Every structure is written in structure tokens, then in C-alpha cells.
Amino acid sequence: MKRNICVLLVMLMLSFMFGCNKSYHVTIVGAEDIITDLKESYRKGEKVRLTVMNEVDSVIAAYIGSEELEHKETETGQQYFTFIMPDHDVEVAIESRQKEKPYGFSDCLLIYSYTSGAIDSAKEYPYGYNQMDVMYQPDTNRYVLVARYACGTDKEFMEWFNTPSALNERIEEIITRYDMTDWDNVQDTVSLDGVMLTFYFERDGVPYYLTTEKMPLNGREAFDEISMAMNDYLLDY
């Protein structure tokens, strides 16, 4: 009886040991040639990192079933995804979120431009900046949202997305609601120290270039709404 119990315990221990060491495979579907650090196998609970090749300019999306993995980027702009390995093989679907590039931006008309960044005494952005431009392409009759950003280096990163005209309607509503065409005539103004926000637009052929150096008391709210409107459409193309 004791011998049987000992044998059973040994079998349970071996089963537990081999079970813990069992590894599983990750299969990439759709664009397996752009993932650079896929290992042969992973154990349950191990953190899996899928890094996209530096040469890929498109914004990549990754899915496990219907669940989209969180898109992350390093300080140099390299894209990657992470997830925790379950106790079974996993299939990750990769797809591009930028099917085609727009024509040269020199052919586009600038409609709106929003910029944010920490400035120095020379009114420059030594620590990086984020700029979002809504541009119109006459040849294709479409709008493009161009996002440019830098992280305190000379290298600028850029992404672009086709956007619906609904974005323009939303921005125009914000401009009207905050009476942004009359900001130059406001008597009681405030300024934002350290961080510079700018917004460019035209109304009836007249250009307006607004900054947080001189704005109404609710001016920061207007800038924040413009920023949120553009960010909401970054992936709507």
C-alpha cells in the first residue's frame, strides 16, 4: 500500500514537472516576415514580445482571435506587441493599417495644423514635439491626417491616415463654439508657461495662427478639444 502511494506521488511529481516545462508555439499569419524576434517556443506565463522590423513604415495591427493586441512603440519609433503565453499554441494575425500612401504632400492644401511641445527661450522644441495636420488632396478629393512627432532628436517620425470630412465638421464646430476667429480681440487673456500649443486654420480666406501665449480664459479647453478631435481620427481612414 505504501509502495503504491509512493509510486503515485512520484508520477504526480513527474507530471507536474513535465507539465511546467511544456512549451507552446506562436504562429504568425499575414506578415510573418516583418516580425524580428519570434522564438521557437514559449512556456505558459512567459511574456511574448513581437517586434516589427524597422524598415516597415506602415502602422501594424496584431490580433489573437478577435482580440487586438496593444500597439506599442519604443523611443525610436519601432513598433512591437506583447502578451502572456497561455497553455496552448497561439496564432497571431498581423495586418497593415496603411494600405496606400497619399500623393506627395506638396500637392496638398493645409486645412488645419495643431502642434504641441515644451519650448525653450528661443521658442524652439528641444525636447520633441507632436504635430497633426489635416490636408486636402485635390486630385483624389480626400482628406489626410498627417501626424509628425520627434523625441528631442533630429529624426522626425511621420504617419498618415485617410480621414472623413466629419473630422473637419467637428473642428469647425469647436472653432465656432469657442469663437476662435475673435481671439486677437479678447482683452482678458492668459498664457501657458513651458508648453506651447499652436493651432492654424483659415476662415473665409483669412489665416489664423493661435497660440497658448495669448488666449482667452477657456483657451486651453479649446486647444484640448482640437487635439482630442484629431487623435480620435488617427485610425479612422
Side-chain angles (χ1 to χ4, degrees), residues 99-135:
K99 304 301 182 183
E100 56 181 332
K101 296 182 179 180
Y103 294 148
F105 294 128
S106 60
D107 301 326
C108 298
L109 302 176
L110 180 62
I111 308 300
Y112 309 105
S113 181
Y114 171 90
T115 303
S116 66
I119 60 172
D120 59 12
S121 58
K123 298 296 185 286
E124 296 180 347
Y125 300 95
Y127 307 109
Y129 60 86
N130 175 48
Q131 179 175 336
M132 294 179 287
D133 297 334
V134 176
M135 310 185 80

PDB file of all heavy atoms in Angstrom, residues 99-135:
ATOM      1  N   LYS A  99      -2.760  50.994 -46.116  1.00  0.00           N
ATOM      2  CA  LYS A  99      -2.742  50.239 -47.353  1.00  0.00           C
ATOM      3  C   LYS A  99      -2.024  50.984 -48.471  1.00  0.00           C
ATOM      4  O   LYS A  99      -1.435  50.384 -49.342  1.00  0.00           O
ATOM      5  CB  LYS A  99      -4.176  49.939 -47.781  1.00  0.00           C
ATOM      6  CG  LYS A  99      -4.983  49.205 -46.716  1.00  0.00           C
ATOM      7  CD  LYS A  99      -4.373  47.877 -46.329  1.00  0.00           C
ATOM      8  CE  LYS A  99      -5.233  47.147 -45.310  1.00  0.00           C
ATOM      9  NZ  LYS A  99      -4.638  45.899 -44.852  1.00  0.00           N
ATOM     10  N   GLU A 100      -2.114  52.304 -48.455  1.00  0.00           N
ATOM     11  CA  GLU A 100      -1.512  53.075 -49.529  1.00  0.00           C
ATOM     12  C   GLU A 100      -1.055  54.431 -48.999  1.00  0.00           C
ATOM     13  O   GLU A 100      -1.584  54.933 -48.016  1.00  0.00           O
ATOM     14  CB  GLU A 100      -2.515  53.288 -50.663  1.00  0.00           C
ATOM     15  CG  GLU A 100      -3.805  53.949 -50.223  1.00  0.00           C
ATOM     16  CD  GLU A 100      -4.780  54.133 -51.352  1.00  0.00           C
ATOM     17  OE1 GLU A 100      -4.324  54.254 -52.492  1.00  0.00           O
ATOM     18  OE2 GLU A 100      -5.993  54.152 -51.088  1.00  0.00           O
ATOM     19  N   LYS A 101      -0.093  54.997 -49.670  1.00  0.00           N
ATOM     20  CA  LYS A 101       0.393  56.311 -49.291  1.00  0.00           C
ATOM     21  C   LYS A 101      -0.306  57.374 -50.129  1.00  0.00           C
ATOM     22  O   LYS A 101      -0.624  57.153 -51.281  1.00  0.00           O
ATOM     23  CB  LYS A 101       1.911  56.406 -49.518  1.00  0.00           C
ATOM     24  CG  LYS A 101       2.722  55.455 -48.660  1.00  0.00           C
ATOM     25  CD  LYS A 101       4.195  55.643 -48.906  1.00  0.00           C
ATOM     26  CE  LYS A 101       5.011  54.698 -48.027  1.00  0.00           C
ATOM     27  NZ  LYS A 101       6.457  54.858 -48.254  1.00  0.00           N
ATOM     28  N   PRO A 102      -0.538  58.540 -49.542  1.00  0.00           N
ATOM     29  CA  PRO A 102      -1.123  59.616 -50.335  1.00  0.00           C
ATOM     30  C   PRO A 102      -0.103  60.187 -51.303  1.00  0.00           C
ATOM     31  O   PRO A 102       1.077  59.868 -51.235  1.00  0.00           O
ATOM     32  CB  PRO A 102      -1.510  60.651 -49.277  1.00  0.00           C
ATOM     33  CG  PRO A 102      -0.543  60.401 -48.175  1.00  0.00           C
ATOM     34  CD  PRO A 102      -0.288  58.920 -48.165  1.00  0.00           C
ATOM     35  N   TYR A 103      -0.560  61.026 -52.176  1.00  0.00           N
ATOM     36  CA  TYR A 103       0.359  61.692 -53.082  1.00  0.00           C
ATOM     37  C   TYR A 103       1.318  62.569 -52.289  1.00  0.00           C
ATOM     38  O   TYR A 103       1.155  62.757 -51.089  1.00  0.00           O
ATOM     39  CB  TYR A 103      -0.423  62.533 -54.086  1.00  0.00           C
ATOM     40  CG  TYR A 103      -1.273  61.743 -55.032  1.00  0.00           C
ATOM     41  CD1 TYR A 103      -2.452  62.261 -55.517  1.00  0.00           C
ATOM     42  CD2 TYR A 103      -0.891  60.467 -55.437  1.00  0.00           C
ATOM     43  CE1 TYR A 103      -3.251  61.538 -56.386  1.00  0.00           C
ATOM     44  CE2 TYR A 103      -1.674  59.742 -56.305  1.00  0.00           C
ATOM     45  CZ  TYR A 103      -2.852  60.271 -56.777  1.00  0.00           C
ATOM     46  OH  TYR A 103      -3.625  59.545 -57.631  1.00  0.00           O
ATOM     47  N   GLY A 104       2.302  63.126 -52.985  1.00  0.00           N
ATOM     48  CA  GLY A 104       3.240  63.988 -52.287  1.00  0.00           C
ATOM     49  C   GLY A 104       2.514  65.121 -51.586  1.00  0.00           C
ATOM     50  O   GLY A 104       1.572  65.702 -52.113  1.00  0.00           O
ATOM     51  N   PHE A 105       2.964  65.440 -50.378  1.00  0.00           N
ATOM     52  CA  PHE A 105       2.264  66.450 -49.591  1.00  0.00           C
ATOM     53  C   PHE A 105       2.369  67.830 -50.221  1.00  0.00           C
ATOM     54  O   PHE A 105       1.624  68.732 -49.848  1.00  0.00           O
ATOM     55  CB  PHE A 105       2.809  66.459 -48.164  1.00  0.00           C
ATOM     56  CG  PHE A 105       2.523  65.192 -47.425  1.00  0.00           C
ATOM     57  CD1 PHE A 105       3.535  64.499 -46.792  1.00  0.00           C
ATOM     58  CD2 PHE A 105       1.243  64.671 -47.377  1.00  0.00           C
ATOM     59  CE1 PHE A 105       3.269  63.319 -46.119  1.00  0.00           C
ATOM     60  CE2 PHE A 105       0.965  63.502 -46.705  1.00  0.00           C
ATOM     61  CZ  PHE A 105       1.981  62.817 -46.077  1.00  0.00           C
ATOM     62  N   SER A 106       3.297  68.006 -51.167  1.00  0.00           N
ATOM     63  CA  SER A 106       3.386  69.293 -51.856  1.00  0.00           C
ATOM     64  C   SER A 106       2.149  69.538 -52.707  1.00  0.00           C
ATOM     65  O   SER A 106       1.854  70.682 -53.071  1.00  0.00           O
ATOM     66  CB  SER A 106       4.648  69.332 -52.724  1.00  0.00           C
ATOM     67  OG  SER A 106       4.612  68.291 -53.696  1.00  0.00           O
ATOM     68  N   ASP A 107       1.428  68.470 -53.041  1.00  0.00           N
ATOM     69  CA  ASP A 107       0.206  68.593 -53.832  1.00  0.00           C
ATOM     70  C   ASP A 107      -1.018  68.839 -52.965  1.00  0.00           C
ATOM     71  O   ASP A 107      -2.125  68.969 -53.480  1.00  0.00           O
ATOM     72  CB  ASP A 107      -0.029  67.319 -54.659  1.00  0.00           C
ATOM     73  CG  ASP A 107       1.133  67.047 -55.603  1.00  0.00           C
ATOM     74  OD1 ASP A 107       1.719  68.024 -56.099  1.00  0.00           O
ATOM     75  OD2 ASP A 107       1.460  65.874 -55.824  1.00  0.00           O
ATOM     76  N   CYS A 108      -0.830  68.890 -51.642  1.00  0.00           N
ATOM     77  CA  CYS A 108      -1.959  69.001 -50.715  1.00  0.00           C
ATOM     78  C   CYS A 108      -2.144  70.428 -50.228  1.00  0.00           C
ATOM     79  O   CYS A 108      -1.210  71.226 -50.215  1.00  0.00           O
ATOM     80  CB  CYS A 108      -1.740  68.081 -49.509  1.00  0.00           C
ATOM     81  SG  CYS A 108      -1.650  66.340 -49.906  1.00  0.00           S
ATOM     82  N   LEU A 109      -3.356  70.719 -49.811  1.00  0.00           N
ATOM     83  CA  LEU A 109      -3.679  72.010 -49.224  1.00  0.00           C
ATOM     84  C   LEU A 109      -3.800  71.835 -47.711  1.00  0.00           C
ATOM     85  O   LEU A 109      -4.520  70.949 -47.246  1.00  0.00           O
ATOM     86  CB  LEU A 109      -4.994  72.540 -49.795  1.00  0.00           C
ATOM     87  CG  LEU A 109      -5.049  72.707 -51.319  1.00  0.00           C
ATOM     88  CD1 LEU A 109      -6.443  73.144 -51.748  1.00  0.00           C
ATOM     89  CD2 LEU A 109      -4.001  73.718 -51.786  1.00  0.00           C
ATOM     90  N   LEU A 110      -3.105  72.665 -46.950  1.00  0.00           N
ATOM     91  CA  LEU A 110      -3.169  72.588 -45.494  1.00  0.00           C
ATOM     92  C   LEU A 110      -4.478  73.206 -45.010  1.00  0.00           C
ATOM     93  O   LEU A 110      -4.764  74.370 -45.298  1.00  0.00           O
ATOM     94  CB  LEU A 110      -1.975  73.314 -44.864  1.00  0.00           C
ATOM     95  CG  LEU A 110      -1.912  73.321 -43.339  1.00  0.00           C
ATOM     96  CD1 LEU A 110      -1.801  71.901 -42.805  1.00  0.00           C
ATOM     97  CD2 LEU A 110      -0.746  74.178 -42.851  1.00  0.00           C
ATOM     98  N   ILE A 111      -5.265  72.426 -44.265  1.00  0.00           N
ATOM     99  CA  ILE A 111      -6.556  72.889 -43.767  1.00  0.00           C
ATOM    100  C   ILE A 111      -6.454  73.286 -42.295  1.00  0.00           C
ATOM    101  O   ILE A 111      -6.869  74.371 -41.902  1.00  0.00           O
ATOM    102  CB  ILE A 111      -7.636  71.806 -43.940  1.00  0.00           C
ATOM    103  CG1 ILE A 111      -7.658  71.300 -45.387  1.00  0.00           C
ATOM    104  CG2 ILE A 111      -9.004  72.352 -43.549  1.00  0.00           C
ATOM    105  CD1 ILE A 111      -7.946  72.368 -46.413  1.00  0.00           C
ATOM    106  N   TYR A 112      -5.894  72.381 -41.468  1.00  0.00           N
ATOM    107  CA  TYR A 112      -5.702  72.661 -40.038  1.00  0.00           C
ATOM    108  C   TYR A 112      -4.327  72.142 -39.627  1.00  0.00           C
ATOM    109  O   TYR A 112      -3.827  71.164 -40.190  1.00  0.00           O
ATOM    110  CB  TYR A 112      -6.757  71.960 -39.168  1.00  0.00           C
ATOM    111  CG  TYR A 112      -8.181  72.187 -39.587  1.00  0.00           C
ATOM    112  CD1 TYR A 112      -8.897  71.178 -40.231  1.00  0.00           C
ATOM    113  CD2 TYR A 112      -8.820  73.398 -39.348  1.00  0.00           C
ATOM    114  CE1 TYR A 112     -10.208  71.375 -40.621  1.00  0.00           C
ATOM    115  CE2 TYR A 112     -10.137  73.596 -39.730  1.00  0.00           C
ATOM    116  CZ  TYR A 112     -10.827  72.581 -40.375  1.00  0.00           C
ATOM    117  OH  TYR A 112     -12.126  72.772 -40.764  1.00  0.00           O
ATOM    118  N   SER A 113      -3.738  72.777 -38.624  1.00  0.00           N
ATOM    119  CA  SER A 113      -2.455  72.314 -38.097  1.00  0.00           C
ATOM    120  C   SER A 113      -2.418  72.551 -36.596  1.00  0.00           C
ATOM    121  O   SER A 113      -2.653  73.678 -36.133  1.00  0.00           O
ATOM    122  CB  SER A 113      -1.294  73.048 -38.769  1.00  0.00           C
ATOM    123  OG  SER A 113      -0.052  72.579 -38.258  1.00  0.00           O
ATOM    124  N   TYR A 114      -2.118  71.500 -35.849  1.00  0.00           N
ATOM    125  CA  TYR A 114      -2.030  71.583 -34.387  1.00  0.00           C
ATOM    126  C   TYR A 114      -0.654  71.081 -33.967  1.00  0.00           C
ATOM    127  O   TYR A 114      -0.197  70.026 -34.429  1.00  0.00           O
ATOM    128  CB  TYR A 114      -3.111  70.724 -33.735  1.00  0.00           C
ATOM    129  CG  TYR A 114      -2.969  70.585 -32.230  1.00  0.00           C
ATOM    130  CD1 TYR A 114      -3.586  71.484 -31.362  1.00  0.00           C
ATOM    131  CD2 TYR A 114      -2.211  69.552 -31.677  1.00  0.00           C
ATOM    132  CE1 TYR A 114      -3.454  71.364 -29.986  1.00  0.00           C
ATOM    133  CE2 TYR A 114      -2.073  69.425 -30.305  1.00  0.00           C
ATOM    134  CZ  TYR A 114      -2.690  70.329 -29.466  1.00  0.00           C
ATOM    135  OH  TYR A 114      -2.558  70.224 -28.111  1.00  0.00           O
ATOM    136  N   THR A 115       0.023  71.829 -33.091  1.00  0.00           N
ATOM    137  CA  THR A 115       1.357  71.449 -32.616  1.00  0.00           C
ATOM    138  C   THR A 115       1.417  71.598 -31.110  1.00  0.00           C
ATOM    139  O   THR A 115       0.856  72.541 -30.542  1.00  0.00           O
ATOM    140  CB  THR A 115       2.445  72.330 -33.256  1.00  0.00           C
ATOM    141  OG1 THR A 115       2.363  72.243 -34.677  1.00  0.00           O
ATOM    142  CG2 THR A 115       3.838  71.878 -32.815  1.00  0.00           C
ATOM    143  N   SER A 116       2.101  70.666 -30.450  1.00  0.00           N
ATOM    144  CA  SER A 116       2.320  70.755 -29.006  1.00  0.00           C
ATOM    145  C   SER A 116       3.750  70.342 -28.694  1.00  0.00           C
ATOM    146  O   SER A 116       4.319  69.470 -29.361  1.00  0.00           O
ATOM    147  CB  SER A 116       1.338  69.861 -28.246  1.00  0.00           C
ATOM    148  OG  SER A 116       1.584  68.499 -28.535  1.00  0.00           O
ATOM    149  N   GLY A 117       4.328  70.981 -27.687  1.00  0.00           N
ATOM    150  CA  GLY A 117       5.676  70.620 -27.274  1.00  0.00           C
ATOM    151  C   GLY A 117       6.200  71.597 -26.241  1.00  0.00           C
ATOM    152  O   GLY A 117       5.709  72.719 -26.113  1.00  0.00           O
ATOM    153  N   ALA A 118       7.207  71.161 -25.481  1.00  0.00           N
ATOM    154  CA  ALA A 118       7.852  72.020 -24.490  1.00  0.00           C
ATOM    155  C   ALA A 118       8.851  72.916 -25.205  1.00  0.00           C
ATOM    156  O   ALA A 118       9.694  72.434 -25.964  1.00  0.00           O
ATOM    157  CB  ALA A 118       8.543  71.180 -23.433  1.00  0.00           C
ATOM    158  N   ILE A 119       8.764  74.221 -24.982  1.00  0.00           N
ATOM    159  CA  ILE A 119       9.615  75.158 -25.695  1.00  0.00           C
ATOM    160  C   ILE A 119      10.693  75.720 -24.780  1.00  0.00           C
ATOM    161  O   ILE A 119      10.610  75.647 -23.553  1.00  0.00           O
ATOM    162  CB  ILE A 119       8.793  76.328 -26.270  1.00  0.00           C
ATOM    163  CG1 ILE A 119       8.076  77.088 -25.144  1.00  0.00           C
ATOM    164  CG2 ILE A 119       7.799  75.841 -27.299  1.00  0.00           C
ATOM    165  CD1 ILE A 119       7.396  78.354 -25.604  1.00  0.00           C
ATOM    166  N   ASP A 120      11.744  76.289 -25.408  1.00  0.00           N
ATOM    167  CA  ASP A 120      12.789  76.973 -24.647  1.00  0.00           C
ATOM    168  C   ASP A 120      12.678  78.475 -24.908  1.00  0.00           C
ATOM    169  O   ASP A 120      11.735  78.950 -25.525  1.00  0.00           O
ATOM    170  CB  ASP A 120      14.172  76.432 -25.013  1.00  0.00           C
ATOM    171  CG  ASP A 120      14.487  76.607 -26.500  1.00  0.00           C
ATOM    172  OD1 ASP A 120      13.744  77.351 -27.187  1.00  0.00           O
ATOM    173  OD2 ASP A 120      15.465  76.020 -26.965  1.00  0.00           O
ATOM    174  N   SER A 121      13.655  79.229 -24.442  1.00  0.00           N
ATOM    175  CA  SER A 121      13.604  80.681 -24.580  1.00  0.00           C
ATOM    176  C   SER A 121      13.655  81.142 -26.027  1.00  0.00           C
ATOM    177  O   SER A 121      13.238  82.248 -26.349  1.00  0.00           O
ATOM    178  CB  SER A 121      14.757  81.318 -23.799  1.00  0.00           C
ATOM    179  OG  SER A 121      16.009  80.814 -24.262  1.00  0.00           O
ATOM    180  N   ALA A 122      14.155  80.284 -26.917  1.00  0.00           N
ATOM    181  CA  ALA A 122      14.232  80.626 -28.333  1.00  0.00           C
ATOM    182  C   ALA A 122      12.975  80.207 -29.083  1.00  0.00           C
ATOM    183  O   ALA A 122      12.931  80.252 -30.308  1.00  0.00           O
ATOM    184  CB  ALA A 122      15.456  79.961 -28.971  1.00  0.00           C
ATOM    185  N   LYS A 123      11.960  79.817 -28.334  1.00  0.00           N
ATOM    186  CA  LYS A 123      10.675  79.373 -28.918  1.00  0.00           C
ATOM    187  C   LYS A 123      10.878  78.165 -29.850  1.00  0.00           C
ATOM    188  O   LYS A 123      10.256  78.036 -30.892  1.00  0.00           O
ATOM    189  CB  LYS A 123      10.014  80.516 -29.685  1.00  0.00           C
ATOM    190  CG  LYS A 123       9.659  81.713 -28.804  1.00  0.00           C
ATOM    191  CD  LYS A 123       8.620  81.330 -27.757  1.00  0.00           C
ATOM    192  CE  LYS A 123       8.156  82.537 -26.943  1.00  0.00           C
ATOM    193  NZ  LYS A 123       9.127  82.999 -25.974  1.00  0.00           N
ATOM    194  N   GLU A 124      11.785  77.266 -29.438  1.00  0.00           N
ATOM    195  CA  GLU A 124      12.024  76.034 -30.175  1.00  0.00           C
ATOM    196  C   GLU A 124      11.595  74.850 -29.321  1.00  0.00           C
ATOM    197  O   GLU A 124      11.247  75.000 -28.149  1.00  0.00           O
ATOM    198  CB  GLU A 124      13.499  75.919 -30.572  1.00  0.00           C
ATOM    199  CG  GLU A 124      13.943  77.024 -31.528  1.00  0.00           C
ATOM    200  CD  GLU A 124      15.408  76.895 -31.899  1.00  0.00           C
ATOM    201  OE1 GLU A 124      16.110  76.109 -31.223  1.00  0.00           O
ATOM    202  OE2 GLU A 124      15.852  77.585 -32.838  1.00  0.00           O
ATOM    203  N   TYR A 125      11.616  73.641 -29.918  1.00  0.00           N
ATOM    204  CA  TYR A 125      11.158  72.427 -29.234  1.00  0.00           C
ATOM    205  C   TYR A 125      12.332  71.469 -29.035  1.00  0.00           C
ATOM    206  O   TYR A 125      12.452  70.468 -29.740  1.00  0.00           O
ATOM    207  CB  TYR A 125      10.068  71.733 -30.048  1.00  0.00           C
ATOM    208  CG  TYR A 125       8.840  72.571 -30.289  1.00  0.00           C
ATOM    209  CD1 TYR A 125       8.695  73.307 -31.453  1.00  0.00           C
ATOM    210  CD2 TYR A 125       7.800  72.598 -29.365  1.00  0.00           C
ATOM    211  CE1 TYR A 125       7.569  74.075 -31.689  1.00  0.00           C
ATOM    212  CE2 TYR A 125       6.664  73.362 -29.587  1.00  0.00           C
ATOM    213  CZ  TYR A 125       6.553  74.095 -30.753  1.00  0.00           C
ATOM    214  OH  TYR A 125       5.423  74.850 -30.967  1.00  0.00           O
ATOM    215  N   PRO A 126      13.234  71.739 -28.080  1.00  0.00           N
ATOM    216  CA  PRO A 126      14.417  70.876 -27.913  1.00  0.00           C
ATOM    217  C   PRO A 126      14.080  69.502 -27.358  1.00  0.00           C
ATOM    218  O   PRO A 126      14.880  68.578 -27.473  1.00  0.00           O
ATOM    219  CB  PRO A 126      15.282  71.674 -26.925  1.00  0.00           C
ATOM    220  CG  PRO A 126      14.300  72.476 -26.127  1.00  0.00           C
ATOM    221  CD  PRO A 126      13.215  72.850 -27.105  1.00  0.00           C
ATOM    222  N   TYR A 127      12.918  69.343 -26.734  1.00  0.00           N
ATOM    223  CA  TYR A 127      12.573  68.065 -26.114  1.00  0.00           C
ATOM    224  C   TYR A 127      11.564  67.279 -26.941  1.00  0.00           C
ATOM    225  O   TYR A 127      10.987  66.310 -26.462  1.00  0.00           O
ATOM    226  CB  TYR A 127      12.018  68.317 -24.706  1.00  0.00           C
ATOM    227  CG  TYR A 127      12.933  69.163 -23.862  1.00  0.00           C
ATOM    228  CD1 TYR A 127      12.578  70.471 -23.544  1.00  0.00           C
ATOM    229  CD2 TYR A 127      14.158  68.677 -23.426  1.00  0.00           C
ATOM    230  CE1 TYR A 127      13.432  71.269 -22.789  1.00  0.00           C
ATOM    231  CE2 TYR A 127      15.015  69.475 -22.674  1.00  0.00           C
ATOM    232  CZ  TYR A 127      14.637  70.769 -22.356  1.00  0.00           C
ATOM    233  OH  TYR A 127      15.484  71.552 -21.610  1.00  0.00           O
ATOM    234  N   GLY A 128      11.344  67.707 -28.169  1.00  0.00           N
ATOM    235  CA  GLY A 128      10.411  66.991 -29.028  1.00  0.00           C
ATOM    236  C   GLY A 128       9.094  67.719 -29.174  1.00  0.00           C
ATOM    237  O   GLY A 128       8.804  68.676 -28.460  1.00  0.00           O
ATOM    238  N   TYR A 129       8.306  67.263 -30.104  1.00  0.00           N
ATOM    239  CA  TYR A 129       7.029  67.894 -30.395  1.00  0.00           C
ATOM    240  C   TYR A 129       6.093  66.885 -31.057  1.00  0.00           C
ATOM    241  O   TYR A 129       6.505  65.802 -31.494  1.00  0.00           O
ATOM    242  CB  TYR A 129       7.221  69.097 -31.322  1.00  0.00           C
ATOM    243  CG  TYR A 129       7.851  68.734 -32.657  1.00  0.00           C
ATOM    244  CD1 TYR A 129       7.087  68.296 -33.733  1.00  0.00           C
ATOM    245  CD2 TYR A 129       9.236  68.797 -32.809  1.00  0.00           C
ATOM    246  CE1 TYR A 129       7.680  67.946 -34.934  1.00  0.00           C
ATOM    247  CE2 TYR A 129       9.832  68.450 -34.000  1.00  0.00           C
ATOM    248  CZ  TYR A 129       9.050  68.033 -35.070  1.00  0.00           C
ATOM    249  OH  TYR A 129       9.641  67.671 -36.244  1.00  0.00           O
ATOM    250  N   ASN A 130       4.836  67.254 -31.110  1.00  0.00           N
ATOM    251  CA  ASN A 130       3.817  66.452 -31.789  1.00  0.00           C
ATOM    252  C   ASN A 130       3.022  67.396 -32.671  1.00  0.00           C
ATOM    253  O   ASN A 130       2.507  68.410 -32.204  1.00  0.00           O
ATOM    254  CB  ASN A 130       2.898  65.773 -30.772  1.00  0.00           C
ATOM    255  CG  ASN A 130       1.767  65.033 -31.446  1.00  0.00           C
ATOM    256  OD1 ASN A 130       1.977  64.287 -32.386  1.00  0.00           O
ATOM    257  ND2 ASN A 130       0.553  65.246 -30.983  1.00  0.00           N
ATOM    258  N   GLN A 131       2.928  67.088 -33.950  1.00  0.00           N
ATOM    259  CA  GLN A 131       2.203  67.943 -34.889  1.00  0.00           C
ATOM    260  C   GLN A 131       1.215  67.103 -35.688  1.00  0.00           C
ATOM    261  O   GLN A 131       1.549  66.029 -36.190  1.00  0.00           O
ATOM    262  CB  GLN A 131       3.170  68.644 -35.845  1.00  0.00           C
ATOM    263  CG  GLN A 131       2.476  69.543 -36.871  1.00  0.00           C
ATOM    264  CD  GLN A 131       3.472  70.307 -37.730  1.00  0.00           C
ATOM    265  OE1 GLN A 131       4.608  70.539 -37.327  1.00  0.00           O
ATOM    266  NE2 GLN A 131       3.046  70.705 -38.917  1.00  0.00           N
ATOM    267  N   MET A 132      -0.011  67.601 -35.800  1.00  0.00           N
ATOM    268  CA  MET A 132      -1.046  66.924 -36.580  1.00  0.00           C
ATOM    269  C   MET A 132      -1.629  67.902 -37.590  1.00  0.00           C
ATOM    270  O   MET A 132      -2.098  68.987 -37.212  1.00  0.00           O
ATOM    271  CB  MET A 132      -2.154  66.384 -35.658  1.00  0.00           C
ATOM    272  CG  MET A 132      -1.691  65.269 -34.733  1.00  0.00           C
ATOM    273  SD  MET A 132      -2.994  64.655 -33.636  1.00  0.00           S
ATOM    274  CE  MET A 132      -3.124  66.024 -32.481  1.00  0.00           C
ATOM    275  N   ASP A 133      -1.569  67.538 -38.858  1.00  0.00           N
ATOM    276  CA  ASP A 133      -2.066  68.386 -39.934  1.00  0.00           C
ATOM    277  C   ASP A 133      -3.196  67.684 -40.676  1.00  0.00           C
ATOM    278  O   ASP A 133      -3.070  66.496 -41.026  1.00  0.00           O
ATOM    279  CB  ASP A 133      -0.956  68.708 -40.937  1.00  0.00           C
ATOM    280  CG  ASP A 133       0.182  69.497 -40.316  1.00  0.00           C
ATOM    281  OD1 ASP A 133      -0.074  70.205 -39.324  1.00  0.00           O
ATOM    282  OD2 ASP A 133       1.314  69.399 -40.820  1.00  0.00           O
ATOM    283  N   VAL A 134      -4.263  68.407 -40.933  1.00  0.00           N
ATOM    284  CA  VAL A 134      -5.321  67.914 -41.822  1.00  0.00           C
ATOM    285  C   VAL A 134      -5.081  68.547 -43.181  1.00  0.00           C
ATOM    286  O   VAL A 134      -5.036  69.779 -43.300  1.00  0.00           O
ATOM    287  CB  VAL A 134      -6.723  68.283 -41.299  1.00  0.00           C
ATOM    288  CG1 VAL A 134      -7.787  67.838 -42.296  1.00  0.00           C
ATOM    289  CG2 VAL A 134      -6.970  67.633 -39.945  1.00  0.00           C
ATOM    290  N   MET A 135      -4.899  67.710 -44.197  1.00  0.00           N
ATOM    291  CA  MET A 135      -4.569  68.197 -45.527  1.00  0.00           C
ATOM    292  C   MET A 135      -5.578  67.664 -46.535  1.00  0.00           C
ATOM    293  O   MET A 135      -6.123  66.566 -46.362  1.00  0.00           O
ATOM    294  CB  MET A 135      -3.142  67.795 -45.904  1.00  0.00           C
ATOM    295  CG  MET A 135      -2.107  68.122 -44.837  1.00  0.00           C
ATOM    296  SD  MET A 135      -0.399  67.779 -45.315  1.00  0.00           S
ATOM    297  CE  MET A 135      -0.044  69.216 -46.304  1.00  0.00           C
TER     298      MET A 135
END
